Short mmCIF file of all heavy atoms in Angstrom, two decimals:
data_model
loop_
_atom_site.label_atom_id
_atom_site.label_comp_id
_atom_site.label_asym_id
_atom_site.label_seq_id
_atom_site.Cartn_x
_atom_site.Cartn_y
_atom_site.Cartn_z
N PHE O 1 -3.16 -27.66 15.31
CA PHE O 1 -2.77 -26.31 15.70
C PHE O 1 -2.01 -25.63 14.56
O PHE O 1 -2.18 -24.43 14.32
CB PHE O 1 -1.89 -26.37 16.95
CG PHE O 1 -1.48 -25.04 17.48
CD1 PHE O 1 -2.37 -24.21 18.14
CD2 PHE O 1 -0.17 -24.58 17.29
CE1 PHE O 1 -1.99 -22.98 18.62
CE2 PHE O 1 0.22 -23.35 17.76
CZ PHE O 1 -0.69 -22.54 18.44
N THR O 2 -1.19 -26.41 13.87
CA THR O 2 -0.44 -25.85 12.74
C THR O 2 -1.38 -25.38 11.64
O THR O 2 -1.21 -24.28 11.08
CB THR O 2 0.54 -26.89 12.18
OG1 THR O 2 1.41 -27.33 13.23
CG2 THR O 2 1.36 -26.31 11.05
N MET O 3 -2.39 -26.21 11.34
CA MET O 3 -3.35 -25.81 10.32
C MET O 3 -4.13 -24.57 10.74
O MET O 3 -4.42 -23.70 9.92
CB MET O 3 -4.31 -26.97 10.04
CG MET O 3 -3.66 -28.16 9.36
SD MET O 3 -2.95 -27.75 7.75
CE MET O 3 -4.41 -27.31 6.84
N ASN O 4 -4.46 -24.48 12.02
CA ASN O 4 -5.16 -23.30 12.52
C ASN O 4 -4.29 -22.06 12.36
O ASN O 4 -4.75 -21.01 11.91
CB ASN O 4 -5.53 -23.51 13.99
CG ASN O 4 -6.09 -22.24 14.61
OD1 ASN O 4 -7.09 -21.72 14.15
ND2 ASN O 4 -5.44 -21.77 15.65
N THR O 5 -3.02 -22.20 12.74
CA THR O 5 -2.08 -21.08 12.59
C THR O 5 -1.92 -20.71 11.12
O THR O 5 -1.86 -19.54 10.76
CB THR O 5 -0.72 -21.44 13.20
OG1 THR O 5 -0.89 -21.81 14.57
CG2 THR O 5 0.25 -20.27 13.12
N PHE O 6 -1.86 -21.74 10.27
CA PHE O 6 -1.69 -21.51 8.84
C PHE O 6 -2.90 -20.77 8.27
O PHE O 6 -2.76 -19.80 7.52
CB PHE O 6 -1.50 -22.85 8.14
CG PHE O 6 -0.98 -22.73 6.73
CD1 PHE O 6 0.37 -22.59 6.48
CD2 PHE O 6 -1.85 -22.75 5.65
CE1 PHE O 6 0.85 -22.47 5.18
CE2 PHE O 6 -1.39 -22.63 4.36
CZ PHE O 6 -0.03 -22.49 4.13
N GLN O 7 -4.10 -21.21 8.65
CA GLN O 7 -5.32 -20.58 8.14
C GLN O 7 -5.50 -19.18 8.71
O GLN O 7 -5.90 -18.25 7.99
CB GLN O 7 -6.52 -21.46 8.47
CG GLN O 7 -6.54 -22.76 7.67
CD GLN O 7 -7.53 -23.76 8.20
OE1 GLN O 7 -7.99 -23.65 9.34
NE2 GLN O 7 -7.86 -24.76 7.40
N THR O 8 -5.20 -19.02 10.01
CA THR O 8 -5.27 -17.69 10.61
C THR O 8 -4.30 -16.75 9.91
O THR O 8 -4.62 -15.59 9.62
CB THR O 8 -4.93 -17.77 12.11
OG1 THR O 8 -5.84 -18.64 12.75
CG2 THR O 8 -5.00 -16.39 12.75
N GLY O 9 -3.10 -17.24 9.63
CA GLY O 9 -2.10 -16.43 8.95
C GLY O 9 -2.54 -16.04 7.56
O GLY O 9 -2.29 -14.91 7.10
N GLN O 10 -3.25 -16.94 6.86
CA GLN O 10 -3.72 -16.62 5.52
C GLN O 10 -4.82 -15.56 5.56
O GLN O 10 -4.88 -14.69 4.70
CB GLN O 10 -4.22 -17.89 4.84
CG GLN O 10 -3.09 -18.83 4.45
CD GLN O 10 -3.59 -20.00 3.62
OE1 GLN O 10 -3.26 -20.12 2.45
NE2 GLN O 10 -4.36 -20.86 4.22
N VAL O 11 -5.70 -15.65 6.58
CA VAL O 11 -6.71 -14.60 6.74
C VAL O 11 -6.04 -13.25 6.97
O VAL O 11 -6.39 -12.24 6.35
CB VAL O 11 -7.66 -14.94 7.91
CG1 VAL O 11 -8.56 -13.75 8.23
CG2 VAL O 11 -8.50 -16.17 7.58
N SER O 12 -5.06 -13.24 7.86
CA SER O 12 -4.34 -11.99 8.15
C SER O 12 -3.56 -11.52 6.93
O SER O 12 -3.45 -10.32 6.68
CB SER O 12 -3.39 -12.21 9.34
OG SER O 12 -4.11 -12.47 10.52
N LEU O 13 -3.03 -12.47 6.18
CA LEU O 13 -2.28 -12.12 4.96
C LEU O 13 -3.19 -11.39 3.98
O LEU O 13 -2.80 -10.38 3.38
CB LEU O 13 -1.72 -13.40 4.33
CG LEU O 13 -0.60 -13.24 3.31
CD1 LEU O 13 0.63 -12.61 3.94
CD2 LEU O 13 -0.24 -14.60 2.73
N GLU O 14 -4.41 -11.88 3.84
CA GLU O 14 -5.36 -11.22 2.93
C GLU O 14 -5.74 -9.84 3.45
O GLU O 14 -5.87 -8.88 2.68
CB GLU O 14 -6.61 -12.08 2.78
CG GLU O 14 -6.37 -13.36 2.00
CD GLU O 14 -7.63 -14.20 1.88
OE1 GLU O 14 -8.64 -13.84 2.52
OE2 GLU O 14 -7.60 -15.20 1.14
N ARG O 15 -5.93 -9.72 4.77
CA ARG O 15 -6.30 -8.41 5.34
C ARG O 15 -5.18 -7.39 5.16
O ARG O 15 -5.42 -6.23 4.84
CB ARG O 15 -6.62 -8.58 6.83
CG ARG O 15 -7.99 -9.17 7.09
CD ARG O 15 -8.13 -9.67 8.53
NE ARG O 15 -7.79 -8.68 9.52
CZ ARG O 15 -8.64 -7.76 10.01
NH1 ARG O 15 -9.89 -7.73 9.57
NH2 ARG O 15 -8.26 -6.90 10.94
N VAL O 16 -3.94 -7.83 5.37
CA VAL O 16 -2.81 -6.92 5.21
C VAL O 16 -2.60 -6.58 3.74
O VAL O 16 -2.33 -5.42 3.39
CB VAL O 16 -1.54 -7.55 5.81
CG1 VAL O 16 -0.30 -6.74 5.43
CG2 VAL O 16 -1.65 -7.62 7.33
N GLU O 17 -2.74 -7.57 2.87
CA GLU O 17 -2.59 -7.31 1.44
C GLU O 17 -3.67 -6.36 0.93
O GLU O 17 -3.41 -5.51 0.07
CB GLU O 17 -2.65 -8.63 0.65
CG GLU O 17 -1.34 -9.38 0.65
CD GLU O 17 -0.22 -8.62 -0.03
OE1 GLU O 17 -0.44 -8.07 -1.13
OE2 GLU O 17 0.88 -8.56 0.55
N GLU O 18 -4.88 -6.49 1.46
CA GLU O 18 -5.94 -5.56 1.10
C GLU O 18 -5.55 -4.12 1.45
O GLU O 18 -5.82 -3.18 0.70
CB GLU O 18 -7.23 -5.94 1.84
CG GLU O 18 -8.41 -5.04 1.51
CD GLU O 18 -9.64 -5.37 2.34
OE1 GLU O 18 -9.56 -6.26 3.21
OE2 GLU O 18 -10.68 -4.73 2.12
N LEU O 19 -4.86 -3.98 2.57
CA LEU O 19 -4.41 -2.66 2.99
C LEU O 19 -3.28 -2.17 2.09
O LEU O 19 -3.27 -1.01 1.66
CB LEU O 19 -3.93 -2.73 4.44
CG LEU O 19 -3.78 -1.41 5.20
CD1 LEU O 19 -5.09 -0.68 5.32
CD2 LEU O 19 -3.21 -1.68 6.60
N LEU O 20 -2.34 -3.06 1.77
CA LEU O 20 -1.18 -2.66 0.98
C LEU O 20 -1.55 -2.37 -0.48
O LEU O 20 -0.90 -1.56 -1.14
CB LEU O 20 -0.12 -3.76 1.03
CG LEU O 20 0.62 -3.93 2.36
CD1 LEU O 20 1.51 -5.15 2.32
CD2 LEU O 20 1.45 -2.70 2.68
N GLN O 21 -2.59 -3.03 -0.98
CA GLN O 21 -2.98 -2.83 -2.37
C GLN O 21 -3.86 -1.60 -2.56
O GLN O 21 -4.17 -1.24 -3.69
CB GLN O 21 -3.72 -4.08 -2.87
CG GLN O 21 -2.81 -5.30 -3.03
CD GLN O 21 -3.58 -6.55 -3.40
OE1 GLN O 21 -4.77 -6.51 -3.69
NE2 GLN O 21 -2.89 -7.67 -3.38
N ARG O 22 -4.24 -0.98 -1.46
CA ARG O 22 -5.07 0.21 -1.55
C ARG O 22 -4.19 1.40 -1.97
O ARG O 22 -3.33 1.85 -1.23
CB ARG O 22 -5.71 0.47 -0.18
CG ARG O 22 -6.93 1.38 -0.21
CD ARG O 22 -6.56 2.83 0.00
NE ARG O 22 -7.72 3.70 -0.12
CZ ARG O 22 -7.66 5.02 -0.16
NH1 ARG O 22 -6.49 5.64 -0.05
NH2 ARG O 22 -8.74 5.73 -0.30
N GLU O 23 -4.41 1.89 -3.16
CA GLU O 23 -3.63 3.02 -3.67
C GLU O 23 -4.26 4.33 -3.19
O GLU O 23 -5.47 4.49 -3.22
CB GLU O 23 -3.58 3.00 -5.20
CG GLU O 23 -2.73 1.90 -5.78
CD GLU O 23 -1.26 2.05 -5.43
OE1 GLU O 23 -0.80 3.21 -5.31
OE2 GLU O 23 -0.58 1.03 -5.26
N PRO O 24 -3.44 5.27 -2.73
CA PRO O 24 -3.98 6.56 -2.29
C PRO O 24 -4.61 7.30 -3.45
O PRO O 24 -4.12 7.25 -4.58
CB PRO O 24 -2.76 7.30 -1.74
CG PRO O 24 -1.58 6.64 -2.38
CD PRO O 24 -1.97 5.20 -2.58
N SER O 25 -5.73 7.97 -3.18
CA SER O 25 -6.41 8.73 -4.24
C SER O 25 -5.65 9.99 -4.59
O SER O 25 -5.90 10.60 -5.63
CB SER O 25 -7.84 9.08 -3.80
OG SER O 25 -7.82 9.85 -2.61
N ILE O 26 -4.74 10.42 -3.71
CA ILE O 26 -3.91 11.61 -3.96
C ILE O 26 -2.46 11.16 -3.97
O ILE O 26 -1.92 10.74 -2.95
CB ILE O 26 -4.12 12.68 -2.87
CG1 ILE O 26 -5.60 13.05 -2.77
CG2 ILE O 26 -3.28 13.91 -3.16
CD1 ILE O 26 -5.92 13.94 -1.58
N GLN O 27 -1.82 11.21 -5.12
CA GLN O 27 -0.43 10.81 -5.21
C GLN O 27 0.26 11.54 -6.35
O GLN O 27 -0.39 12.19 -7.18
CB GLN O 27 -0.32 9.29 -5.41
CG GLN O 27 -1.11 8.73 -6.56
CD GLN O 27 -1.03 7.22 -6.63
OE1 GLN O 27 0.03 6.64 -6.41
NE2 GLN O 27 -2.14 6.56 -6.92
N ASP O 28 1.58 11.43 -6.38
CA ASP O 28 2.37 12.11 -7.40
C ASP O 28 2.14 11.49 -8.77
O ASP O 28 1.85 10.29 -8.90
CB ASP O 28 3.86 12.03 -7.06
CG ASP O 28 4.22 12.81 -5.83
OD1 ASP O 28 3.48 13.76 -5.50
OD2 ASP O 28 5.23 12.48 -5.18
N LYS O 29 2.27 12.31 -9.79
CA LYS O 29 2.29 11.79 -11.15
C LYS O 29 3.63 11.11 -11.42
O LYS O 29 4.59 11.26 -10.66
CB LYS O 29 2.09 12.93 -12.16
CG LYS O 29 0.69 13.53 -12.15
CD LYS O 29 0.55 14.57 -13.25
CE LYS O 29 -0.88 15.10 -13.33
NZ LYS O 29 -1.04 16.12 -14.40
N VAL O 30 3.67 10.33 -12.49
CA VAL O 30 4.92 9.65 -12.84
C VAL O 30 6.03 10.67 -13.09
O VAL O 30 7.17 10.52 -12.64
CB VAL O 30 4.72 8.76 -14.09
CG1 VAL O 30 6.03 8.10 -14.49
CG2 VAL O 30 3.66 7.70 -13.81
N ILE O 31 5.69 11.75 -13.80
CA ILE O 31 6.65 12.83 -14.06
C ILE O 31 6.09 14.10 -13.43
O ILE O 31 4.98 14.53 -13.75
CB ILE O 31 6.87 13.04 -15.57
CG1 ILE O 31 7.40 11.75 -16.22
CG2 ILE O 31 7.82 14.21 -15.82
CD1 ILE O 31 7.56 11.85 -17.72
N THR O 32 6.84 14.70 -12.51
CA THR O 32 6.38 15.90 -11.81
C THR O 32 7.21 17.11 -12.24
O THR O 32 8.31 16.97 -12.77
CB THR O 32 6.49 15.72 -10.29
OG1 THR O 32 7.86 15.43 -9.94
CG2 THR O 32 5.61 14.58 -9.81
N THR O 33 6.64 18.28 -12.01
CA THR O 33 7.31 19.53 -12.34
C THR O 33 8.03 20.06 -11.10
O THR O 33 7.41 20.21 -10.05
CB THR O 33 6.29 20.58 -12.81
OG1 THR O 33 5.57 20.07 -13.93
CG2 THR O 33 6.99 21.88 -13.18
N PRO O 34 9.33 20.32 -11.19
CA PRO O 34 10.05 20.82 -10.01
C PRO O 34 9.67 22.27 -9.72
O PRO O 34 9.26 23.03 -10.61
CB PRO O 34 11.52 20.71 -10.41
CG PRO O 34 11.51 20.77 -11.91
CD PRO O 34 10.24 20.12 -12.34
N ILE O 35 9.78 22.65 -8.46
CA ILE O 35 9.54 24.03 -8.04
C ILE O 35 10.70 24.90 -8.53
O ILE O 35 11.87 24.59 -8.30
CB ILE O 35 9.44 24.14 -6.51
CG1 ILE O 35 8.20 23.38 -6.02
CG2 ILE O 35 9.39 25.59 -6.07
CD1 ILE O 35 6.89 24.04 -6.33
N THR O 36 10.38 25.96 -9.26
CA THR O 36 11.42 26.88 -9.73
C THR O 36 11.36 28.16 -8.91
O THR O 36 10.30 28.77 -8.75
CB THR O 36 11.20 27.22 -11.22
OG1 THR O 36 9.89 27.73 -11.40
CG2 THR O 36 11.36 25.97 -12.08
N VAL O 37 12.49 28.53 -8.35
CA VAL O 37 12.58 29.72 -7.52
C VAL O 37 13.19 30.86 -8.32
O VAL O 37 14.31 30.76 -8.81
CB VAL O 37 13.42 29.46 -6.25
CG1 VAL O 37 13.52 30.72 -5.42
CG2 VAL O 37 12.81 28.31 -5.45
N ASN O 38 12.43 31.93 -8.48
CA ASN O 38 12.90 33.12 -9.20
C ASN O 38 12.92 34.28 -8.20
O ASN O 38 11.88 34.80 -7.81
CB ASN O 38 11.96 33.43 -10.38
CG ASN O 38 12.50 34.54 -11.25
OD1 ASN O 38 13.46 35.25 -10.88
ND2 ASN O 38 11.88 34.72 -12.41
N ASN O 39 14.10 34.65 -7.76
CA ASN O 39 14.23 35.68 -6.73
C ASN O 39 13.82 37.06 -7.22
O ASN O 39 13.64 37.98 -6.42
CB ASN O 39 15.68 35.73 -6.23
CG ASN O 39 16.06 34.46 -5.50
OD1 ASN O 39 15.23 33.85 -4.82
ND2 ASN O 39 17.33 34.05 -5.62
N SER O 40 13.65 37.20 -8.56
CA SER O 40 13.28 38.52 -9.08
C SER O 40 11.79 38.81 -8.92
O SER O 40 11.36 39.95 -9.09
CB SER O 40 13.64 38.59 -10.57
OG SER O 40 12.91 37.63 -11.33
#
């Protein structure tokens, strides 16, 4: 039972890691430009 739980956990670990390693195609750049407000 322990080995089954261990193997099941490893399968789930890979599935979750696959999700976590997926980088969004839309994300901030390393250096971003701040919004400048000019009331004039």
Side-chain angles (χ1 to χ4, degrees):
F1 183 74
T2 303
M3 292 300 296
N4 173 59
T5 303
F6 194 83
Q7 290 167 343
T8 301
Q10 288 187 113
V11 171
S12 294
L13 197 62
E14 290 180 353
R15 282 164 54 86
V16 169
E17 279 297 314
E18 181 185 3
L19 197 61
L20 289 173
Q21 290 174 8
R22 199 268 177 189
E23 289 295 327
S25 59
I26 304 171
Q27 54 184 320
D28 293 336
K29 290 184 176 180
V30 177
I31 300 177
T32 58
T33 303
I35 295 287
T36 55
V37 179
N38 187 348
N39 294 326
S40 63

